[in-house]
Amino acid sequence: MKKIAIIILLFSLASCQGQEKKKNKETEISQQPVKGKLNMNTTDAEWKKVLTEEQYEVLRQKATERPFTGEYYKNFEKGVYVCAACGNPLFTSDAKFDSPCGWPSFDQAIKGSVIYKEDKTLGMTRTEVMCANCGGHLGHVFDDGPEETTGNRFCTNSVSIKFIPSKK
């Protein structure tokens, strides 16, 4: 049973794997709290009170949800996607595209909304994407996105984001 779980995990990660951007995307995390919001200074105990178990595992422990299961994978309504932990606006629906990877995919983040960190876990090098306000793990960015726009694919866990529809 344990071997099957490992195989499923490796398949899930491989399906979201793409070529890493060549340029260095690391950005320093600001330690200044955002007034009135949960942020990087929020304790684990506080996060556990406001997040579901699955959100905590993904946003705080850097887990990955199973592909093709997320609430927003096939959502193409107009609106904005915010961090599920702190409400920081991250992506607009105009940046979302239909990707076969199994997770919601965007070709760009809202300027200044995310930070990047080199991730060398699981025997590969990727670029992790985190919320710039609270440091929550969102997913990874790859350079195999739509060539007609940015060429980026922000492979994002649905549980790490919340969709706010546009008012009609």
Side-chain angles (χ1 to χ4, degrees):
M1 185 68 169
K2 202 173 193 179
K3 288 181 183 179
I4 293 172
I6 291 171
I7 290 170
I8 291 170
L9 174 65
L10 290 175
F11 171 75
S12 297
L13 292 170
S15 66
C16 191
Q17 184 178 358
Q19 294 180 332
E20 181 201 8
K21 289 277 185 198
K22 297 294 183 223
K23 62 183 180 180
N24 184 358
K25 287 187 167 185
E26 283 196 58
T27 303
E28 286 194 29
I29 298 173
S30 168
Q31 292 299 317
Q32 296 301 313
V34 176
K35 211 171 193 176
K37 288 187 177 182
L38 297 168
N39 57 56
M40 290 186 210
N41 295 325
T42 303
T43 67
D44 273 348
E46 291 170 312
W47 284 124
K48 286 180 179 181
K49 288 179 186 176
V50 297
L51 300 174
T52 67
E53 186 176 329
E54 187 177 21
Q55 286 174 323
Y56 181 82
E57 289 295 316
V58 171
L59 285 157
R60 308 317 305 170
Q61 301 294 309
K62 302 180 187 296
T64 300
E65 68 188 1
R66 291 188 333 264
F68 308 104
T69 63
E71 178 180 3
Y72 303 121
Y73 172 54
K74 290 293 186 181
N75 179 47
F76 292 99
E77 293 180 47
K78 292 290 184 192
V80 66
Y81 293 85
V82 300
C83 177
C86 71
N88 183 33
L90 303 167
F91 306 101
T92 66
S93 58
D94 292 338
K96 192 166 190 302
F97 65 95
D98 193 8
S99 171
C101 71
W103 290 272
S105 296
F106 304 87
D107 65 1
Q108 64 184 325
I110 295 171
K111 189 172 180 162
S113 67
V114 299
I115 53 177
Y116 306 92
K117 182 180 176 190
E118 186 175 67
D119 176 3
K120 290 190 173 191
T121 60
L122 303 173
M124 58 185 122
T125 301
R126 301 175 291 174
T127 301
E128 179 185 6
V129 179
M130 297 173 293
C131 173
N133 180 61
C134 71
H137 172 77
L138 304 172
H140 293 86
V141 63
F142 304 101
D143 63 359
D144 59 359
E147 290 180 17
E148 62 275 7
T149 59
T150 65
N152 292 327
R153 176 173 55 94
F154 286 79
C155 187
T156 309
N157 291 286
S158 280
V159 298
S160 69
I161 56 179
K162 180 180 176 186
F163 179 68
I164 309 296
S166 294
K167 295 181 181 176
K168 294 181 180 180

